[in-house]
Amino acid sequence: MGASARLLRAVIMGAPGSGKGTVSSRIIKHFELKHLSSGDLLRQNMLRGTGFPRTLPQAEALDRAYQIDTVINLNVPFEVIKQRLTARWIHPASGRVYNIEFNPPKTVGIDDLTGEPLIQREDDKPETVIKRLKAYEAQTEPVLEYYRKKGVLETFSGTETNKIWPNVYAFLQTKIPEAHQKDSVTP
């Protein structure tokens, strides 16, 4: 493989519930087949879901292993994330899941079929969510600062993934070379 086929090495950062998973899967869908010779872009180098790197030593280690070209930071207001993450309610006996925003029960707090009360998982309770968000912020602030100093941090702010995505997409198009450019280069 010639030097021209060097891949973009990117990291996606964002608090739990900021839309990392959605953005990652859209990147795979839109860029992989058109631009990449392997699924390398995300599967190995964009370590998502767990929010890696979370600490400065992790960020430095990741940089030593792979020169990170770009860090996509999804900046979604905590209030929005809190609403997103606390919207889930469950009927314990059946496992039915309701979402206050997308799939609400007919009566607030009551299962549609049995009339039994719905519960919130510990993870979805507002106080737990706030604690997780504060921990994320404290932990990743030095990481974001590290990438900012290196000049690779791109922050995308917004309240909806569908509004943030077009900006991420446009940005990545400037970073990922068109396939035909790659093909015309002789090794």
Side-chain angles (χ1 to χ4, degrees):
M1 199 151 56
S4 62
R6 190 182 170 305
L7 296 173
L8 177 74
R9 303 204 187 278
V11 171
I12 291 188
M13 296 192 61
S18 62
K20 286 188 303 290
T22 307
V23 168
S24 299
S25 52
R26 286 185 190 181
I27 291 172
I28 289 176
K29 200 175 110 198
H30 288 280
F31 289 101
E32 183 174 55
L33 299 173
K34 274 199 301 217
H35 300 285
L36 299 177
S37 50
S38 75
D40 205 33
L41 169 69
L42 275 157
R43 272 191 285 284
Q44 286 150 34
N45 301 330
M46 205 176 266
L47 303 155
R48 67 179 179 89
T50 51
F52 178 94
R54 281 178 180 232
T55 63
L56 199 50
Q58 283 178 349
E60 289 165 344
L62 187 64
D63 245 355
R64 280 193 298 274
Y66 309 97
Q67 254 63 63
I68 298 300
D69 303 307
T70 191
V71 175
I72 293 167
N73 178 39
L74 304 179
N75 179 30
V76 178
F78 274 10
E79 208 32 61
V80 172
I81 293 176
K82 195 182 96 187
Q83 277 177 324
R84 226 178 251 180
L85 294 181
T86 56
R88 188 168 40 187
W89 289 79
I90 290 162
H91 178 245
S94 68
R96 269 187 293 280
V97 176
Y98 295 90
N99 185 298
I100 302 305
E101 293 173 38
F102 309 111
N103 172 35
K106 292 184 177 79
T107 309
V108 177
I110 302 293
D111 179 54
D112 289 349
L113 300 184
T114 64
E116 292 167 355
L118 300 174
I119 62 153
Q120 236 182 350
R121 286 193 356 222
E122 209 46 56
D123 271 3
D124 300 331
K125 290 185 175 165
E127 52 277 19
T128 313
V129 168
I130 289 164
K131 221 181 289 176
R132 274 170 69 204
L133 292 174
K134 286 196 168 135
Y136 172 83
E137 193 175 46
Q139 212 174 26
T140 54
E141 197 40 60
V143 177
L144 293 173
E145 194 44 46
Y146 169 76
Y147 287 130
R148 195 177 288 121
K149 280 196 188 111
K150 289 193 63 151
V152 294
L153 185 69
E154 285 291 326
T155 295
F156 298 88
S157 302
T159 55
E160 289 170 53
T161 305
N162 285 340
K163 299 227 169 93
I164 293 175
W165 167 246
N167 301 320
V168 173
Y169 180 74
F171 167 71
L172 283 173
Q173 279 186 311
T174 67
K175 290 284 186 189
I176 298 176
E178 290 294 330
H180 62 81
Q181 290 176 337
K182 220 162 48 183
D183 299 340
S184 63
V185 176
T186 48

